[in-house]
Amino acid sequence: MSHIVHKKKFLRRLSAGALVVTVTAGSALLVDGMANATPPMGTLGTLAFVPATGTDVTPIGANTSRSCPADPDGKDDSYQVLIVGPIGSTTNQTFPSANPFPIVTTTQAGFSTTDPINAQFANPLKDAARDAADPNFGGSGTLQTGEYDVTFRCVNGSRKTPFGTFTGAIYLTSPTTYTTTDPNATPTATPTATPTATPTATPAPGAKFTATTLSVIQVPLPFGLGGFAIPVANVSPLNAAGTVQFKDTGNNIGRPVRVFGGVAVGPFTTLRPGNHSMTAVFTPSNSTNFRSSTSNPVTFRF
């Protein structure tokens, strides 16, 4: 990370290997031209935040999509997490004079070069914004709604120069709540699959017409429990070969039944109480010889 010069700097160190929070007031920390816009994917990948939603006092972790590579110079390594977003002051003045304002969360510990890295923010967003305050800029810093871009840097431990980055964004929908989903993003419409129509076989010009009639043997049950039905279809001419599909209110009853001598007997069917409308649909085995036909509906109630 390039050297940063400012007249006031706050530095808090925790125990060895723990996170260190460095907050420097002033726009000099606007690194790599980061602004209040979704950052492009880093040179190494992206960041995922845990939890994905929370409040300004929620402890947040940033998970990298892969590991940092080994430092090409072979130095002791560390990483930095830079948060850039809009921060105001208790006096409602712009703080600092050029927003967005950066917060740096960093660690002096080494990192894995084989596995993704989890970096816990040393402070919740509310505390980080408060600690960022410089009296010269109006007092205690406060979070504002908007986008907070986060850059995770794999850093050379000696020269503090980055050699790889991961990026992500957190969105404050109010000064006290955040989400990792951009509330202003236009949702992508999910295309509705158009069902493929089942082609209907075109009968040959010389195919004979058929006629199908339906009768239903009905056996009602007592106490309004429904009843049993046996559908019987008659197909003419008698030599018409094929199958009959029986239906109740448009729903198939079992599988198609083969026609023998112009007759097809449907399955013994249990029906629920209520209205029923049964039909029989004849489908010829050879559409060049015969045409399909549908019976008259038989309506009844159990």
Side-chain angles (χ1 to χ4, degrees):
M1 180 176 177
S2 57
H3 292 290
I4 300 165
V5 179
H6 195 275
K7 61 184 177 181
K8 187 160 185 178
K9 181 178 295 184
F10 298 91
L11 177 65
R12 183 169 66 193
R13 296 184 181 275
L14 302 182
S15 59
L19 293 177
V20 178
V21 177
T22 305
V23 181
T24 305
S27 58
L29 263 176
L30 291 177
V31 185
D32 293 345
M34 287 190 68
N36 192 24
T38 302
M41 186 174 72
T43 58
L44 298 175
T46 57
L47 293 172
F49 301 98
V50 180
T53 58
T55 70
D56 57 338
V57 296
T58 301
I60 303 174
N63 297 327
T64 62
S65 57
R66 51 158 290 186
S67 65
C68 281
D71 185 349
D73 293 337
K75 304 294 183 181
D76 293 333
D77 300 321
S78 62
Y79 62 74
Q80 297 172 328
V81 180
L82 174 67
I83 308 171
V84 179
I87 296 178
S89 71
T90 54
T91 57
N92 295 321
Q93 298 173 354
T94 301
F95 175 74
S97 57
N99 268 335
F101 187 78
I103 305 166
V104 176
T105 300
T106 185
T107 181
Q108 300 301 320
F111 50 73
S112 172
T113 58
T114 59
D115 301 307
I117 302 167
N118 173 267
Q120 288 289 326
F121 292 4
N123 286 323
L125 293 175
K126 180 179 180 179
D127 293 341
R130 181 193 61 213
D131 293 346
D134 186 324
N136 295 322
F137 290 95
S140 177
T142 56
L143 297 169
Q144 298 176 346
T145 58
E147 180 177 313
Y148 288 72
D149 295 341
V150 183
T151 301
F152 179 107
R153 294 177 157 198
C154 308
V155 178
N156 176 286
S158 299
R159 296 195 306 273
K160 305 300 182 184
T161 54
F163 55 89
T165 59
F166 300 87
T167 56
I170 293 174
Y171 305 90
L172 264 69
T173 53
S174 77
T176 59
T177 57
Y178 78 86
T179 179
T180 53
T181 302
D182 186 354
N184 298 316
T186 302
T188 303
T190 301
T192 302
T194 302
T196 302
T198 301
T200 302
T202 302
K208 296 180 180 179
F209 285 94
T210 62
T212 302
T213 58
L214 175 66
S215 59
V216 180
I217 301 171
Q218 305 168 35
V219 182
L221 293 173
F223 310 114
L225 297 177
F228 302 107
I230 303 175
V232 179
N234 292 92
V235 180
S236 62
L238 296 179
N239 64 338
T243 59
V244 170
Q245 176 64 67
F246 295 96
K247 297 176 178 287
D248 178 26
T249 318
N251 298 315
N252 291 343
I253 302 174
R255 297 182 178 181
V257 178
R258 188 165 297 279
V259 178
F260 293 98
V263 178
V265 179
F268 186 82
T269 305
T270 302
L271 299 177
R272 295 180 178 180
N275 296 320
H276 298 272
S277 178
M278 301 186 71
T279 55
V281 179
F282 169 72
T283 301
S285 301
N286 190 336
S287 60
T288 62
N289 296 328
F290 296 97
R291 296 174 182 258
S292 61
S293 58
T294 301
S295 74
N296 56 296
V298 175
T299 59
F300 54 95
R301 180 180 178 83
F302 280 142

